[in-house]
Amino acid sequence: MSGRVLVGVKRVIDYAVKIRVKPDNSGVVTDGVKHSMNPFCEIAVEEAVKLKEKKLIKEVVAVSCGPQQAQETIRTALAMGADRGIHVQVTGKDYETLGPLQVSKILAALAKKEDAQLIILGKQAIDDDCNQTGQMTAALLDWPQGTFASEVSMEGDKLKVVREIDGGLEMIKINTPAVVSADLRLNTPRYATLPNIMKAKKKKIANVNPADLGVDLTSRVEILRVDEPPQRQAGVKVETVDDLVGKLKDTGRI
Amino acid sequence: LSIPEGTVTCPLAHRCLRALKTAQTEHVSPQLYTTLHRRACSSVSTPRITTHYTIHPREKDPRWEGIEMERFADEADVVIVGGGPAGLSAAIRLKQLANEQEKELRVCLVEKASQIGAHTLSGACLEPSSLNELIPDWKERGAPLNTPVTEDVFSILTEKYRIPVPILPGLPMVNHGNYIVRLGNFVRWLGEQAEELGVELYPGYAASEVLFHEDGSVKGVATNDVGIAKDGSPKDVFERGMELHAKVTIFGEGCHGHLAKQLYKHFNLRENCEPQTYAIGLKEVWMIDEKKWRPGRVEHSVGWPLNRNTYGGSFLYHLNEGEPLVALGLVVGLDYTNPYLSPFREFQRWKHHPFVAPTLEGGHRIAYGARALNEGGLQSIPKLTFPGGLLIGCSPGFMNVPKIKGTHTAMKSGMLAAETIFAKVTAEDVESETAGLHVPEYAEALKSSWVWKELHAVRNIRPSFHNYFGLYGGMIYTGIFYWIFRGKEPWTLKHCGLDAHQLKPAKDCTPIEYPKPDGKISFDLLSSVALSGTNHEGDQPPHLTLKDDSVPVNRNLAVFDGPEQRFCPAGVYEYVPLESGDGMRLQINAQNCVHCKTCDIKDPSQNINWVVPEGGGGPAYNGM
């Protein structure tokens, strides 16, 4: 048992920033826009660090895929308590088409290389809202998955996960190694304080190429166009039911 | 509460209703009290607004018993507070000198914004003089000065018309040789240059406290604590800030910095200067129709919508960075007297002027923000140095008001601070009376530099507006004494005192009828605030602290009709009816704050004390 946990962290546009579509409708403006760690990834890092503090695992490795700026996100994870980082360098066109399929292939390859016992990810990223990476990674590795986790505990070499589902809460017990995806109520992430940021500068971040991991980044998806949602039209107030029926008929709804 | 009893069928609800009815009758008696008694009661029952520990110290708070308050400390040679043009120029200059002379120098810079440039807002027309001195090969290094000024237009606006004013060479607002920049992008580039030179930049960490040695000199700063709940109690994630100690601490917080405010009091730095006077600048960036785009064009105006006794003016700059972008805004002097004036709404209605609206028609707005700026000039510069530290940039205030430029002087002040500090910190035989180094050489260097000459020449222009003819008197004064006599007149005019004391009571003023925003050219406040990208961790004490929670309703609302609900460009202050029905209370929406500092400046009761919130919070400006 290596006692090693891999945590995936994604650099996304900060949730409070107003998004703007590029004039050529090819995507969203990201130049100079405030970015931060995906909120669900923060929860994932916190959970991994908590497990290490409880001495249930030995090492937390933070992983991020992207251009140079992804290193800032890894540093934040290191400041929260991760031991070392891995920056998988993906730039340019490859980065524009990077999606859950490619990232899960990368994470699966890294999990094998690093002999990880556990992969903790955020349940979804707030920019694409895919909610696929955790599940795909588990499938590629043929590992069990505990997704939408609101509570995680270790019982021997099994993992007990309480999952948030539509009907309420579901408790499952899965073997390790496993993939867990964090939901909102799993924990409250700690702050990355300045002394920890300074210490994090001394922690190692390894640079890795997807090609070295034998991963093919070709996308199966082509983005045709990105548009803003249609402007919400003002509603119309009617006085009587007859008016309502009349208006519905006028606009061809009935 | 008048739900007819017969309509309630559920027995539990029935019991609740009975209980409520009895409670209601029990409260009938207080209405028998005299109004005098009720007024005495109402001041006692002011709802608690301020929970910040600067007003309610934690040493006396039982919720903080046993909490670990020890702070981690680190030592640097120089610590710089604020990552704006001044702070970054100082950092760059320090490291340039250290690298040139092969000396070790640890320079740490803390900045409250989450990334360098995110809290920077300005017009801006940059005069490249200081940049040429600091980084002569800025063009090769990719500095974002992409728009040389090609056209300069000045107008006096009336409600429907425009009077063109010729910009004769020699007038302060000539922009030949200057660049229209997006200052946030320029500051970000400066940050990259600083990092390359080895400066340690820490954005996302706010300096919240000045630290002192036992001998009273400045020891450094401490960054903000994190994890304090809205009610002032510690959360599970509570952690103390960190202490950064330095031989010299440079304070470059920008206009009306909150630590500078404390330092003025502590070291009595303002005893021989006039109080600082300010203006608020509101700005938007628009993507306009390509047909209307004239890259390099600079437009300024005075007059409408402000009356001749309210100082202020507008700007509209056409950028040349590939896309048809314009930066535009309105500056309003904060010595205005009418409490019904709303700088935000003046800005929105200015955009509808027949000279301005056509540029914006067919375009759409992509950014909004606001910031206070200095107008005091030479007369308001305080003592700049004290044992262990010094002040640079817009914090003490080196803005050339008629030129509407302060970036070049801020940068030069940072560079001079670096040069004089470096000499002292690396000198072999430094003898200091105090543990923190005192560098009065900085103030002397500044006084013999072009910054002082420039500020001296324009010192009388702003105060010349305080006459019966207001704007027109000021323009005549500028024409005679600046354009002809170059500011050499032997007298120095005074300002009128604190901006906060200029407001007249509401009963002596007429409310201003502002037009409703049309949603195409003018907009409402809340959608504008959303565009600034501002956000703060919700569960923290409001950082807009009140020395006395009862003053807003009892004085600001009663005498001045609550001017804070109008001068705040982010809708932080709202007077809402009390839940009990009778009377109003002040609601502070601290999360909206864009860190402009106008409230701390203009509050007629000087009751609002802006302190820094958790680092990383605030606007997310992108190239403003």
Side-chain angles (χ1 to χ4, degrees):
Chain A
M1 273 261 285
S2 70
R4 190 169 293 127
V5 173
L6 228 57
V7 181
V9 293
K10 186 178 182 186
R11 179 176 180 262
V12 296
I13 294 182
D14 187 86
Y15 72 90
V17 168
K18 224 157 200 254
I19 310 284
R20 192 161 63 93
V21 174
K22 284 197 203 150
D24 63 0
N25 295 96
S26 64
V28 151
V29 175
T30 52
D31 238 355
V33 175
K34 179 177 174 187
H35 283 68
S36 35
M37 192 192 288
N38 182 38
F40 295 107
C41 298
E42 287 181 349
I43 297 175
V45 174
E46 176 64 25
E47 196 59 24
V49 174
K50 275 198 161 71
L51 287 174
K52 191 175 91 159
E53 285 169 350
K54 291 190 203 142
K55 304 231 196 306
L56 294 166
I57 53 123
K58 293 204 198 85
E59 192 188 27
V60 178
V61 182
V63 181
S64 193
C65 308
Q68 184 61 23
Q69 294 98 319
Q71 297 224 355
E72 290 163 19
T73 314
I74 300 176
R75 288 260 173 249
T76 309
L78 293 173
M80 285 172 73
D83 298 293
R84 59 184 169 89
I86 298 177
H87 173 204
V88 181
Q89 287 161 315
V90 182
T91 53
K93 206 78 192 54
D94 281 337
Y95 182 59
E96 280 171 35
T97 56
L98 191 70
L101 181 61
Q102 292 76 22
V103 174
S104 48
K105 285 183 188 171
I106 292 173
L107 290 175
L110 279 173
K112 291 203 191 106
K113 183 160 175 262
E114 299 283 336
D115 188 24
Q117 285 301 115
L118 185 58
I119 300 180
I120 311 184
L121 305 171
K123 71 170 180 183
Q124 66 196 57
I126 60 171
D127 52 6
D128 54 23
D129 278 336
C130 282
N131 198 314
Q132 297 164 7
T133 309
Q135 294 86 336
M136 283 180 173
T137 311
L140 286 170
L141 288 164
D142 199 23
W143 287 5
Q145 53 183 266
T147 52
F148 305 96
S150 68
E151 223 182 284
V152 172
S153 47
M154 296 199 83
E155 284 190 2
D157 58 352
K158 289 206 200 291
L159 214 57
K160 200 169 87 172
V161 180
V162 177
R163 305 179 58 232
E164 300 211 14
I165 60 173
D166 286 347
L169 296 172
E170 177 191 58
M171 206 217 305
I172 59 171
K173 227 189 243 184
I174 53 179
N175 293 326
T176 52
V179 175
V180 168
S181 81
D183 206 325
L184 193 62
R185 277 158 280 267
L186 182 57
N187 58 51
T188 307
R190 66 195 63 190
Y191 288 85
T193 54
L194 186 55
N196 290 327
I197 286 273
M198 288 180 169
K199 285 188 204 139
K201 289 204 167 170
K202 304 197 181 87
K203 294 185 183 172
K204 275 179 70 61
I205 299 181
N207 288 319
V208 172
N209 265 317
D212 297 339
L213 297 170
V215 169
D216 166 28
L217 292 178
T218 358
S219 178
R220 311 291 199 259
V221 171
E222 185 194 334
I223 295 185
L224 297 176
R225 198 185 154 86
V226 177
D227 276 306
E228 282 192 16
Q231 283 280 358
R232 205 170 158 200
Q233 298 297 327
V236 175
K237 275 195 177 152
V238 291
E239 299 292 306
T240 67
V241 176
D242 290 327
D243 280 349
L244 177 62
V245 174
K247 280 237 156 28
L248 287 172
K249 281 200 175 142
D250 281 344
T251 52
R253 307 272 187 210
I254 52 168
Chain B
L1 196 52
S2 55
I3 305 170
E5 274 223 346
T7 59
V8 179
T9 47
C10 163
L12 182 60
H14 196 88
R15 243 184 289 151
C16 291
L17 187 58
R18 277 277 199 80
L20 279 166
K21 279 197 160 181
T22 357
Q24 209 185 7
T25 46
E26 275 169 7
H27 279 271
V28 166
S29 23
Q31 287 163 10
L32 297 176
Y33 288 170
T34 61
T35 43
L36 190 65
H37 188 137
R38 201 190 305 153
R39 215 180 295 152
C41 282
S42 67
S43 61
V44 169
S45 63
T46 304
R48 163 103 145 204
I49 302 173
T50 303
T51 53
H52 201 273
Y53 62 81
T54 49
I55 306 284
H56 300 286
R58 290 175 288 196
E59 295 82 33
K60 307 192 189 121
D61 191 332
R63 300 171 298 183
W64 286 88
E65 259 188 64
I67 302 281
E68 178 60 60
M69 294 299 266
E70 181 87 28
R71 276 189 289 224
F72 185 80
D74 206 357
E75 307 281 328
D77 292 295
V78 182
V79 162
I80 302 176
V81 176
L88 288 168
S89 298
I92 290 172
R93 193 80 194 101
L94 278 168
K95 274 311 221 180
Q96 281 175 342
L97 290 165
N99 294 343
E100 261 171 48
Q101 303 189 20
E102 291 175 356
K103 295 221 161 94
E104 290 281 317
L105 197 73
R106 186 175 183 205
V107 179
C108 290
L109 188 151
V110 286
E111 160 61 44
K112 62 175 164 57
S114 58
Q115 51 194 54
I116 302 278
H119 286 186
T120 302
L121 183 141
S122 186
C125 261
L126 181 69
E127 205 182 276
S129 49
S130 302
L131 181 60
N132 289 331
E133 276 185 50
L134 183 66
I135 303 177
D137 58 342
W138 54 260
K139 211 181 174 96
E140 288 79 49
R141 288 174 174 273
L145 273 67
N146 302 314
T147 313
V149 174
T150 55
E151 262 185 279
D152 221 337
V153 171
F154 195 89
S155 330
I156 300 179
L157 297 182
T158 62
E159 192 175 341
K160 297 200 186 64
Y161 303 105
R162 166 195 174 239
I163 307 166
V165 174
I167 302 185
L168 306 161
L171 277 176
M173 60 286 288
V174 168
N175 273 305
H176 183 73
N178 296 337
Y179 291 84
I180 304 173
V181 291
R182 297 177 70 174
L183 197 62
N185 290 345
F186 177 66
V187 167
R188 194 169 65 209
W189 175 83
L190 279 178
E192 287 162 16
Q193 304 308 303
E195 264 196 317
E196 261 179 51
L197 287 166
V199 177
E200 288 177 52
L201 292 179
Y202 296 113
Y205 296 97
S208 65
E209 197 185 319
V210 183
L211 303 168
F212 297 95
H213 287 288
E214 296 217 340
D215 61 11
S217 60
V218 169
K219 187 174 173 187
V221 289
T223 59
N224 57 281
D225 295 344
V226 291
I228 306 180
K230 200 161 183 170
D231 63 5
S233 60
K235 295 195 276 198
D236 288 332
V237 285
F238 171 74
E239 267 196 67
R240 277 290 255 169
M242 176 175 166
E243 293 191 9
L244 285 166
H245 301 165
K247 301 189 180 111
V248 184
T249 308
I250 302 180
F251 292 87
E253 296 171 286
C255 175
H256 205 79
H258 80 113
L259 291 182
K261 193 175 168 186
Q262 290 175 32
L263 290 165
Y264 294 148
K265 259 217 287 260
H266 188 97
F267 289 107
N268 210 0
L269 301 171
R270 298 204 77 97
E271 61 183 335
N272 290 323
C273 69
E274 288 198 50
Q276 184 64 260
T277 65
Y278 302 88
I280 179 177
L282 300 115
K283 176 182 172 180
E284 287 175 358
V285 176
W286 282 62
M287 182 94 82
I288 55 172
D289 187 341
E290 264 196 53
K291 297 191 224 61
K292 322 260 174 98
W293 184 38
R294 320 253 296 255
R297 183 177 162 94
V298 161
E299 289 175 26
H300 290 116
S301 82
V302 290
W304 191 84
L306 302 172
N307 66 26
R308 68 164 195 268
N309 291 106
T310 303
Y311 184 81
S314 76
F315 64 90
L316 199 155
Y317 304 149
H318 292 247
L319 287 153
N320 189 5
E321 303 193 346
E323 302 176 295
L325 287 180
V326 294
L328 66 153
L330 188 72
V331 171
V332 180
L334 284 177
D335 57 349
Y336 67 81
T337 53
N338 186 345
Y340 291 107
L341 194 143
S342 159
F344 174 78
R345 301 193 80 174
E346 297 288 352
F347 174 41
Q348 297 302 318
R349 76 166 162 172
W350 164 77
K351 287 188 279 175
H352 282 286
H353 190 276
F355 186 62
V356 184
T359 310
L360 301 177
E361 267 149 23
H364 65 276
R365 184 174 73 152
I366 62 171
Y368 164 82
R371 183 73 170 91
L373 47 127
N374 310 287
E375 302 229 309
L378 207 69
Q379 295 91 320
S380 304
I381 298 178
K383 188 157 177 291
L384 295 167
T385 67
F386 39 89
L390 45 86
L391 303 162
I392 60 172
C394 279
S395 182
F398 301 115
M399 192 171 126
N400 182 329
V401 179
K403 255 198 202 175
I404 355 171
K405 290 176 178 49
T407 311
H408 63 309
T409 48
M411 288 175 71
K412 182 66 178 171
S413 72
M415 289 154 64
L416 289 172
E419 284 158 13
T420 47
I421 290 175
F422 185 79
K424 212 147 197 174
V425 157
T426 54
E428 302 278 309
D429 51 350
V430 141
E431 265 177 43
S432 181
E433 290 175 355
T434 51
L437 282 181
H438 190 185
V439 192
E441 292 84 350
Y442 158 62
E444 286 154 29
L446 204 57
K447 289 199 177 102
S448 31
S449 73
W450 55 258
V451 171
W452 218 259
K453 280 198 206 53
E454 194 179 307
L455 292 179
H456 184 84
V458 299
R459 73 196 180 289
N460 284 326
I461 297 184
R462 176 67 175 93
S464 71
F465 281 67
H466 297 127
N467 62 76
Y468 179 72
F469 297 104
L471 170 71
Y472 305 109
M475 292 182 78
I476 295 172
Y477 186 96
T478 307
I480 301 173
F481 289 101
Y482 183 77
W483 191 54
I484 301 177
F485 291 116
R486 293 265 152 260
K488 292 199 167 70
E489 67 271 31
W491 56 81
T492 298
L493 298 175
K494 284 183 151 26
H495 299 301
C496 284
L498 269 189
D499 287 333
H501 296 159
Q502 305 304 318
L503 277 183
K504 296 207 186 99
K507 61 175 168 56
D508 297 337
C509 301
T510 10
I512 305 179
E513 281 290 316
Y514 289 106
K516 268 188 81 157
D518 72 347
K520 295 202 197 60
I521 300 217
S522 53
F523 301 92
D524 66 300
L525 187 59
L526 290 180
S527 64
S528 308
V529 176
L531 265 188
S532 70
T534 193
N535 194 28
H536 295 86
E537 159 65 51
D539 193 13
Q540 65 173 308
H543 62 281
L544 303 124
T545 64
L546 304 171
K547 291 186 208 142
D548 181 341
D549 279 351
S550 62
V551 165
V553 170
N554 293 347
R555 183 156 189 265
N556 288 18
L557 188 60
V559 179
F560 301 100
D561 198 44
E564 56 268 64
Q565 45 187 346
R566 295 188 191 94
F567 61 55
C568 173
V572 169
Y573 300 97
E574 270 187 296
Y575 282 97
V576 296
L578 279 164
E579 280 80 27
S580 61
D582 186 31
M584 306 284 265
R585 66 176 178 88
L586 178 66
Q587 176 167 287
I588 298 186
N589 306 313
Q591 281 183 281
N592 289 8
C593 182
V594 291
H595 298 205
C596 75
K597 316 294 177 65
T598 303
C599 57
D600 196 312
I601 294 165
K602 190 60 174 167
D603 176 10
S605 314
Q606 288 290 276
N607 187 38
I608 299 174
N609 194 38
W610 190 99
V611 297
V612 78
E614 276 179 15
Y621 297 142
N622 183 10
M624 281 291 262

